[in-house]
Amino acid sequence: MRIAWSDTRSSLACPDSGLGRSQTRLTGYVQESIINTRAKKPQAPATIGNLPPLGMDADSIVDDFRRYFSHTLGRDESTDTNPQMYTSLVLSLRDRLVERWRNTRLAYSEADCKRTYYLSLEFLMGRALGNAMLNLDIDPATATALRQMGIELEALADQEHDAGLGNGGLGRLAACFLDSCATLQLPVTGYGIRYEYGMFRQKIENGCQLEEPDHWLRDGNPWEIERPEFATRVKFGGHTEYFTEQHGRTFVRWMNTRDVMAMPHDVPVPGYQNGTVNTLRLWRAAATEEFDLSEFNAGSYTEAVASKNAAEHITMVLYPNDSSENGKELRLRQQYFLASASLQDILREWVKHQGNDFSRFAEKNCFQLNDTHPTCAVPELMRLLMDEHGMGWDDAWAITSKTMAYTNHTLLPEALEKWSVSMFGRLLPRLLEIICEINARYLSEVALRYPGDIERQRRMSIIEEGHEKQVRMAYLAVVASFSVNGVAALHSELLQEHLFRDFYELWPHKFNNKTNGVTPRRWLAWSNPELSKLISDAIGDDWCTDLSQLQKLKAHADKATFRKKWRAVKQANKARLAEMVQQDCGVTFDTNALFDVQVKRIHEYKRQLLNVLHVIHLYDRIKRGDTANWTPRCVLIGGKAAPGYMMAKRIIKLVNAVAKVINGDPATEGLLRLAFLPDYRVSAMEVISPGTDLSEQISTAGKEASGTGNMKFMMNGAMTIGTLDGANIEIREEAGAENFFLFGLTAQEVEATRHHYDPAAIIHADEDFKRVMGLLCSGNFNLFEPGIFDPIINSIYSPNDPWLTAADFRSFVDAQRRVDQAYKDQDAWTRMSIINTATSGKFSSDRTILDYNREVWHLPQIAPKQG
Ligand SMILES: *Cc1c(COP(=O)(O)O)cnc(C)c1O
């Protein structure tokens, strides 16, 4: 399905220096375990390694591949061995990553520099093979090697399961950030959880979402390296006891705990053709050894096995809720497990080099919290410094409050994490004590600043009073962090004005904005090789690490020959997308039609419903013969609904129901198609964004913190139809208003409208809207399932509809009319497409990371020795 796998890419490749002169080398599963056992001695014998660097040519790859295939994996060609061939290829490439990994670690350690740790419950990495080949600049050699052996690269690449350890934008952001940090040669380590089951696989049956478990590790994960030598113990439950030393100092012991082991699995994160390989360390929960033993000795064999399972449950499954919290105890366990294991890991390294001297710790370490999910890191760092390293409160607080930085990802109240105090205290008694102490000290600061303002203290307390007391994790994060950022300009402003208003008044200096970005390596160079080649032919290939270079494309937008080539690339990418839609949806998309795409998590605030209303309106126009000057459209909608989110699942059902009627009606032939793409995921987006003409970014203004799908589409030359929400505002600023289809209320207007919102009146006054609702209400799309869309219809008619769907209908339909008109002039459309790509430079995650580094992290850029 991929077009010109190696040939278009090879021209992209920059000649690279002789990277990776490492002195030692780790290879394969078998050798690793040998090295691990020997490493238990104080120093591993230097003779284990000391190998010359591995060749980057096709012949060397062939040799390694064949050895892994026939010796390590013990296979021959007699059976279907695609999975083993895939593994052989990965292990061959991983060896080359491991060389650079070691050099990178060495360079960081020699520089003795400051480091940042990116703590996140989600890393939505997707597939790693293509990215590794691109970043190692070994893609052409690999293609040649496989060709020599008569193997199809594409077939092997399709063996790889997406690493779906995230829900959506937040998890994918973490993945893009890691890519940028490695490319910028910044000493940043990702810490996350190695979920046994990632994001569920979505099947569609009878138009409804079915969730299937994503056992992505079933066939093993050849990318990761387990590191039992760094296993860490994490405590749960028990109680605390206070002791007084001779000198009168009191200290606390957290006792009678139920401990769980945290086992690290390291995943290499290669930078773009620069010899750097950073680390993503993912923790797996395992039972402790003596935990097993004691129970076994007591004779309760089955109970022991069961509790072993209970320990391992912690990292069993990713919670599939995007933008909503569920308050489940297991989720809090996951959060603390990540925070504790990671901090202990970092402190162990510190103590190894600095002993118990923490005077420079804050200078040398920074923790970036990806949303409130890892906020247990705040009290946990306090606990470790005080209870494990003998520090007093003030010193520990000075370190904690100088090292924590918090990124907020949403204003939606349903997404703000709160934990019941009683559950928190049962599970993490020592942490709750510390949180209460942080709160007491901080509230006395508030009281000093605002004497007598009891209401403000109540408002700002980390502990929410009420029927059931709750820990407000966002407030804890703000209080402890030296930096608090939103993820787009509008979002950061709204944070200061609303959610964190009191905090902004108290500590304005903490607040800043970091507009999100996406990595141009995966989202342009890798996923769109033909466009990349066209761009590089026109402006050189520096854009891949300096996306602002794309500005140079503007000059080419005026050349007819360039526009023709640009259009041809888009056509080829549309053909690729159409093939996927045919395969996965059984719907035929004509590549001459406008490809109108909305892919993202299904959520009412993202308003897939508004999109469907427009499609129904188009269908209505066809049915009443209003098709003069028609622009044919193929509409694609995709995304997963949280399994417990009834309205989101009903919207999926609606899309499929409307699609069935439209696609089955001969009147729509050549004019309109609608398809729901099942199982939207990273590897699907790599095909979708290059083949899209129109990107739907239509959230209710003020609700989408940033969006990053919008950026992937823009980079690949799609036009955006969107509201003034999140990063859309900045996208429009960069592209120019004339290259963006704007509609809808502003965030301010949204809030003002709520008081007098009357959707029934809006519908009644709009002939088109009335007909659309007529079709919906008449059961036209649910003849055999009467009433199933009533909840959706009611939400549209409700004066309390938080998403104001009806308010933006007219404006949306009018903007879509302008899209239709614009698409008719293919030459003008292509020019706008080029301008969108040309002005997408700001939305590289490299820019975002440089902003974080300049204003928050202050890390040096360090290149590993190249031999
Ligand atoms: C980029 C991306 C997202 C985020 O999309 P938004 O439109 O910003 O919500 C979600 N899921 C996947 C698989 C992505 O690649």
Side-chain angles (χ1 to χ4, degrees), residues 167 319-329 331-332 335 371-373 410 412-420 423 464 470-474 603 642:
N167 275 284
Y319 275 95
N321 311 307
D322 187 70
S323 307
S324 78
E325 58 112 37
N326 65 6
K328 291 268 164 55
E329 176 176 321
R331 170 72 173 176
L332 181 57
Q335 296 187 351
D371 212 320
T372 54
H373 314 155
T410 178
L412 299 181
E414 61 267 36
L416 295 177
E417 291 193 303
K418 291 176 184 173
W419 294 109
S420 105
M423 190 228 288
E464 183 178 87
Q470 308 231 294
V471 185
R472 296 160 160 163
M473 298 304 271
H603 203 295

Side-chain angles (χ1 to χ4, degrees), residues 216-272:
W216 70 294
L217 292 167
R218 182 162 27 215
D219 308 324
N221 175 11
W223 294 106
E224 66 183 11
I225 294 184
E226 189 179 12
R227 295 211 166 264
E229 68 273 33
F230 298 134
T232 305
R233 183 179 279 266
V234 177
K235 301 182 185 207
F236 289 97
H239 64 272
T240 59
E241 285 183 14
Y242 285 68
F243 296 84
T244 309
E245 278 178 334
Q246 290 123 324
H247 331 289
R249 206 185 72 88
T250 60
F251 62 98
V252 183
R253 269 201 217 134
W254 182 6
M255 348 224 318
N256 278 18
T257 50
R258 282 284 210 160
D259 296 358
V260 175
M261 291 311 291
M263 187 66 76
H265 295 250
D266 287 357
V267 181
V269 181
Y272 179 70

Side-chain angles (χ1 to χ4, degrees), residues 275-350:
T276 290
V277 175
N278 280 346
T279 302
L280 169 60
R281 180 160 283 183
L282 299 175
W283 297 103
R284 173 175 64 86
T288 55
E289 278 170 41
E290 77 284 354
F291 184 70
D292 297 347
L293 271 179
S294 61
E295 302 231 12
F296 277 101
N297 291 342
S300 41
Y301 171 80
T302 44
E303 286 75 10
V305 173
S307 44
K308 184 172 154 69
N309 262 326
E312 286 163 7
H313 273 155
I314 293 178
T315 54
M316 196 56 72
V317 60
L318 166 77
Y319 275 95
N321 311 307
D322 187 70
S323 307
S324 78
E325 58 112 37
N326 65 6
K328 291 268 164 55
E329 176 176 321
L330 182 60
R331 170 72 173 176
L332 181 57
R333 278 183 191 269
Q334 291 182 338
Q335 296 187 351
Y336 177 63
F337 178 77
L338 168 66
S340 181
S342 308
L343 286 173
Q344 289 188 61
D345 197 46
I346 294 156
L347 291 188
R348 176 184 36 73
E349 270 300 298
W350 179 266

Side-chain angles (χ1 to χ4, degrees), residues 590-798:
D590 176 354
T591 54
N592 291 314
L594 171 79
F595 277 20
D596 167 346
V597 178
Q598 186 179 26
V599 285
K600 48 182 76 240
R601 287 301 290 256
I602 310 293
H603 203 295
E604 286 163 284
Y605 86 81
K606 290 174 182 282
R607 295 202 296 195
Q608 282 89 1
L609 181 53
L610 182 58
N611 194 355
V612 177
L613 294 181
H614 171 248
V615 176
I616 295 174
H617 165 66
L618 290 180
Y619 180 53
D620 177 50
R621 280 181 56 197
I622 293 171
K623 294 305 273 185
R624 61 179 202 241
D626 176 17
T627 56
N629 253 321
W630 188 265
T631 300
R633 260 192 207 241
C634 297
V635 181
L636 184 65
I637 299 178
K640 293 172 185 173
Y645 189 171
M646 175 272 190
M647 278 297 273
K649 289 180 136 177
R650 201 56 61 92
I651 289 167
I652 292 175
K653 173 86 183 174
L654 177 65
V655 175
N656 282 301
V658 172
K660 197 166 177 195
V661 170
I662 289 180
N663 301 336
D665 187 335
T668 64
E669 185 67 39
L671 300 179
L672 182 63
R673 281 292 171 267
L674 172 62
F676 184 88
L677 182 81
D679 205 33
Y680 174 55
R681 62 200 184 280
V682 170
S683 58
M685 186 55 162
E686 290 169 11
V687 179
I688 295 166
S689 57
T692 295
D693 292 311
L694 184 68
S695 152
E696 301 267 353
Q697 307 299 335
I698 60 179
S699 52
T700 311
K703 300 300 169 195
E704 185 75 89
S706 164
T708 49
N710 47 5
M711 301 168 183
K712 300 166 201 165
F713 284 116
M714 182 195 198
M715 252 174 224
N716 286 276
M719 298 290 302
T720 304
I721 182 166
T723 48
L724 285 176
D725 200 14
N728 294 352
I729 297 175
E730 292 157 77
I731 285 177
R732 181 165 170 268
E733 267 168 27
E734 297 296 310
E738 69 281 13
N739 300 304
F740 186 103
F741 295 99
L742 179 69
F743 77 97
L745 301 177
T746 64
Q748 276 199 334
E749 289 165 348
V750 163
E751 290 316 312
T753 301
R754 290 194 192 289
H755 309 296
H756 53 84
Y757 181 49
D758 186 355
I762 294 171
I763 293 164
H764 188 73
D766 187 323
E767 200 52 38
D768 289 337
F769 204 172
K770 218 156 53 183
R771 295 179 63 96
V772 166
M773 293 311 292
L775 277 171
L776 248 186
C777 297
S778 69
N780 206 274
F781 305 108
N782 51 310
L783 286 177
F784 303 106
E785 292 171 283
I788 53 164
F789 297 131
D790 288 359
I792 292 177
I793 294 165
N794 293 338
S795 79
I796 299 171
Y797 274 105
S798 167

